[in-house]
Amino acid sequence: MKTIDRISRNLFERNDTLLLVDFEKSKSHIIEMKWHESSPLFTDNSYGKTALNYFYKGERLGVIPFQLEFLLAVFKESESILNLENDWDDNGSPTYDIQTWKAAIHFLIDYAVTLLHDFNRIIDKPKIYNGPRGSIDILWDYASYTFLVNIEKNGLNASFYADNATNTQRIRGEFTLDNFKKTLIPFAVQL
Amino acid sequence: MSFPIELIPDTDKLFYRIHTQYIDYTESDAKKKIKPGAFDPIPKPDGTEMSVDWSKYSTSIETQNRARKPERVGVVSFVVGEVRSQPTLLKVEHRPTLNQAHSIIFDVLPNANNPEIRINLRRICQWEIEI
């Protein structure tokens, strides 16, 4: 397996094609790879295990660097949210829209990849839960911090709250999912 | 028949139902297995409110039995003083209906789906009837 410094490597998605670009070479080394659900793991002889696909019912929802492989299990587990039927809590709660759930998945991939590529940090493993009134919760509940992101039912807006274990530090905020600055959101990392 | 509204002392408890769909059975910790969505302050024009039963007029079992399907809910409690104090800082009022124990935990500042309130309530609750 060849190791490539993260700064010199970029992954680009274009439709169903993944471009792997190595800027360290004199000429950009570009590999194009067509994705198939039957082969979710991208393996290249030059680069070794590089990235994984996450598919839901045949649709590719994202590409995950291998360092974040643990997210696949998180996503798979969260698929059960979509199976909840109307009145699933015996209190009139509605079903969950697939768009809301997809928005949560896309947010989490985007957020985790940004922390990995731009800040060299691997996020802690979160839980994805059924939230109130058709919303989706993403929770990090660790000894040193708690961080909850809520994706609203429309899949357009989100709000969050985080604090440290002693509750001497608290942060809260809201953002729109299609336009937000990730550095203004807490890092889900135990330091 | 209407019941008088009374002041709820800080030392009393409030009972709240948790549905089994809000339990993460992969978690072993009694508190952490409660999903934050279990605490659901309902948005109102002037804030948010969450219905609870005051321990003066209800037991935890009576609160459980008021559910449509009691076998599918557990019950947690909050100490009123902890709900009213830092960092939770929510208000508690007696709002009797046909159920004399009916009370509300409310906040005057509406916030979409209240992540902060839900985390704080989850943190200060205690199981009375664990599921």
Side-chain angles (χ1 to χ4, degrees):
Chain A
M1 177 186 293
K2 178 184 176 184
T3 304
I4 304 171
D5 187 273
R6 69 179 181 83
I7 297 170
S8 68
R9 187 191 63 192
N10 274 321
L11 290 171
F12 298 98
E13 286 181 71
R14 193 174 60 198
N15 300 324
D16 63 345
T17 301
L18 179 114
L19 304 180
L20 176 64
V21 182
D22 180 359
F23 291 115
E24 274 189 345
K25 295 183 182 295
S26 54
K27 292 180 181 178
S28 293
H29 178 65
I30 300 176
I31 298 168
E32 294 198 12
M33 182 76 181
K34 295 287 184 187
W35 293 114
H36 302 284
E37 190 168 14
S38 58
S39 55
L41 179 66
F42 170 58
T43 305
D44 175 76
N45 289 335
S46 303
Y47 295 92
K49 190 164 77 168
T50 303
L52 303 110
N53 280 311
Y54 173 52
F55 281 94
Y56 177 72
K57 291 190 174 176
E59 180 184 356
R60 187 167 62 87
L61 296 186
V63 178
I64 302 164
F66 75 91
Q67 298 97 321
L68 301 171
E69 184 175 0
F70 61 90
L71 286 178
L72 283 181
V74 174
F75 297 157
K76 286 285 180 194
E77 198 172 320
S78 76
E79 291 174 9
S80 63
I81 293 172
L82 299 172
N83 298 330
L84 293 170
E85 297 178 346
N86 262 323
D87 198 30
W88 51 267
D89 62 350
D90 303 314
N91 201 29
S93 281
T95 56
Y96 288 84
D97 294 338
I98 192 164
Q99 291 308 324
T100 310
W101 177 76
K102 281 183 182 177
I105 300 296
H106 288 144
F107 163 76
L108 196 46
I109 293 174
D110 192 20
Y111 171 72
V113 169
T114 296
L115 262 63
L116 177 65
H117 286 167
D118 295 351
F119 299 96
N120 203 22
R121 292 279 185 271
I122 295 175
I123 64 163
D124 295 324
K125 187 177 179 180
K127 295 271 192 171
I128 300 176
Y129 287 143
N130 41 315
R133 289 175 296 284
S135 68
I136 302 279
D137 283 337
I138 304 171
L139 175 69
W140 288 265
D141 193 2
Y142 285 86
S144 61
Y145 75 96
T146 302
F147 178 24
L148 175 63
V149 178
N150 177 263
I151 308 296
E152 285 184 31
K153 180 182 170 69
N154 57 24
L156 300 175
N157 304 308
S159 55
F160 67 85
Y161 172 76
D163 62 30
N164 62 357
T166 53
N167 223 312
T168 54
Q169 184 181 4
R170 296 186 288 274
I171 183 167
R172 63 187 72 84
E174 298 172 6
F175 58 96
T176 55
L177 283 159
D178 63 347
N179 183 13
F180 66 98
K181 197 171 179 62
K182 295 180 194 74
T183 49
L184 291 179
I185 297 176
F187 284 12
V189 175
Q190 296 193 83
L191 295 175
Chain B
M1 174 181 178
S2 61
F3 299 106
I5 295 174
E6 302 173 52
L7 291 174
I8 303 181
D10 281 350
T11 51
D12 281 10
K13 285 182 176 181
L14 304 168
F15 297 124
Y16 182 71
R17 288 186 290 273
I18 305 284
H19 193 273
T20 184
Q21 289 283 15
Y22 278 121
I23 301 297
D24 178 354
Y25 288 105
T26 67
E27 288 282 353
S28 54
D29 182 270
K31 199 76 75 71
K32 287 189 174 187
K33 76 180 187 181
I34 307 175
K35 302 177 187 178
F39 306 99
D40 186 15
I42 306 297
K44 300 285 180 182
D46 55 350
T48 59
E49 61 183 53
M50 195 172 93
S51 291
V52 291
D53 285 338
W54 181 8
S55 59
K56 181 176 181 179
Y57 294 113
S58 179
T59 65
S60 56
I61 293 172
E62 287 168 342
T63 294
Q64 182 185 37
N65 287 334
R66 286 189 190 96
R68 270 168 54 194
K69 295 178 180 175
E71 71 279 7
R72 296 179 64 172
V73 301
V75 176
V76 295
S77 66
F78 307 101
V79 175
V80 174
E82 291 183 6
V83 175
R84 287 174 171 154
S85 59
Q86 286 277 13
T88 313
L89 277 183
L90 297 172
K91 298 180 179 7
V92 176
E93 275 188 7
H94 185 213
R95 293 266 183 91
T97 55
L98 291 175
N99 168 18
Q100 190 174 4
H102 184 261
S103 305
I104 59 165
I105 294 174
F106 71 98
D107 182 30
V108 292
L109 294 173
N111 179 1
N113 296 325
N114 301 287
E116 180 175 0
I117 292 175
R118 293 190 286 126
I119 287 294
N120 285 326
L121 289 173
R122 177 176 181 257
R123 192 170 279 149
I124 64 172
C125 78
Q126 297 295 331
W127 278 109
E128 298 286 337
I129 302 171
E130 189 170 344
I131 49 172

